[in-house]
Amino acid sequence: MHEHASPRQAIETMIRGNDLPGLLRHAESIHGHLCPFLALGVKAGRHAMAYLDQENTGMEEVVAIVECNNCFTDGIQVITGCTFGNNGLIYQDLGKTAVTVARRVDGAAVRLVVHPDFREHMFSRYPAAGPLFEKVVVQHQGTPEDLHRFHHLWEGVARRELEEVPLEEQFLIETLTIRLPSYARILATEICARCGEGVMESRIRIQAGQKVCLACAGEEYFQLTGQGIGCSREV
Ligand SMILES: [Zn+2]
Ligand SMILES: [Zn+2]
């Protein structure tokens, strides 16, 4: 057997070396911007991976269960290597900035949930950030200068939350053992009789004796959007 460097080697090395700025840089490249909740995701992911001491090659060695789809989740995906595409990421639509990261071999896990007072404490550490956040992000009423100022300030907040504020002040942390869901199933592909596209067999419906996809069948299917998981239907 020959040695084959994992493409995640750089990230795994940064996890072991607790190189938070380096890890944040990786996370920014998929998130597109730098913000405090991305920094929190990076920090939580780093803590969990160091605790579990399990390399992840995207073969479900590690599973991350997130309870929200916000900036935090992108930090988790990059650092833990548990993604939507490799089935290592499980999404629970609970609306909490929280994650449980588990090692499949024995179910050892750690859950981190952002402290209920976190927002209040964060804004009190950076008094200029609160009003600007309200104006620019919540009310969408910032001028271009406000927006520019906000981005600078917000990046500064993210870096300080990453490197200067202790993890224990930001998160409630517990270790536990969980039962993991089964490995992702590999299913056959069928061809929809109407649109001719390939479809996973579990998503095929029979209509008038024909195999059709949910979209062609006009049936409801689940959709994850910024609103969370909901039902949708082709119109
Ligand atoms: Zn963000
Ligand atoms: Zn179809």
Side-chain angles (χ1 to χ4, degrees):
M1 220 165 75
H2 67 279
E3 286 298 313
H4 179 73
S6 157
R8 267 178 57 83
Q9 203 67 61
I11 290 177
E12 298 280 350
T13 302
M14 287 176 182
I15 289 169
R16 283 191 295 275
N18 196 16
D19 179 0
L20 289 170
L23 291 170
L24 184 65
R25 196 77 201 133
H26 276 278
E28 276 181 77
S29 73
I30 73 150
H31 190 56
H33 63 257
L34 172 53
C35 65
F37 276 83
L38 182 70
L40 287 185
V42 166
K43 243 171 130 163
R46 199 318 290 183
H47 177 82
M49 291 304 279
Y51 170 77
L52 296 173
D53 193 23
Q54 169 70 61
E55 193 184 346
N56 189 6
T57 67
M59 299 301 286
E60 300 183 54
E61 301 98 324
V62 180
V63 173
I65 305 163
V66 291
E67 301 177 24
C68 58
N69 55 338
N70 63 23
C71 306
F72 178 79
T73 306
D74 276 350
I76 295 297
Q77 289 190 81
V78 173
I79 309 313
T80 63
C82 300
T83 71
F84 191 52
N86 67 26
N87 297 125
L89 187 73
I90 295 173
Y91 174 63
Q92 294 179 338
D93 194 2
L94 292 169
K96 296 183 186 181
T97 301
V99 64
T100 302
V101 187
R103 188 166 61 199
R104 190 174 274 285
V105 67
D106 59 1
V110 54
R111 180 170 187 266
L112 297 99
V113 55
V114 167
H115 202 284
D117 295 336
F118 172 76
R119 268 176 180 276
E120 197 185 317
H121 285 167
M122 181 184 72
F123 282 121
S124 71
R125 283 192 281 271
Y126 319 99
L132 208 51
F133 181 85
E134 183 67 26
K135 190 175 176 191
V136 172
V137 180
V138 182
Q139 294 174 5
H140 296 283
Q141 280 178 354
T143 62
E145 294 89 90
D146 286 335
L147 194 65
H148 187 76
R149 217 158 60 82
F150 173 72
H151 280 303
H152 267 283
L153 194 69
W154 213 222
E155 289 185 7
V157 172
R159 286 187 208 288
R160 281 174 63 185
E161 290 294 325
L162 184 82
E163 293 184 79
E164 293 172 23
V165 184
L167 187 75
E168 295 71 23
E169 274 182 35
Q170 297 164 323
F171 290 97
L172 301 170
I173 305 168
E174 69 177 317
T175 55
L176 59 167
T177 304
I178 66 167
R179 271 172 66 107
L180 287 143
S182 314
Y183 280 105
R185 287 189 301 161
I186 307 297
L187 296 173
T189 298
E190 301 274 5
I191 305 299
C192 170
R194 298 216 186 116
C195 67
E197 294 179 354
V199 193
M200 197 166 70
E201 63 178 339
S202 61
R203 298 297 184 274
I204 281 284
R205 297 294 177 266
I206 307 295
Q207 278 192 348
Q210 288 188 316
K211 291 175 175 177
V212 292
C213 72
L214 291 172
C216 290
E219 284 210 26
E220 280 196 329
Y221 53 86
F222 293 112
Q223 175 166 275
L224 173 63
T225 68
Q227 272 51 257
I229 294 180
C231 282
S232 187
R233 192 193 293 267
E234 295 295 309
V235 284

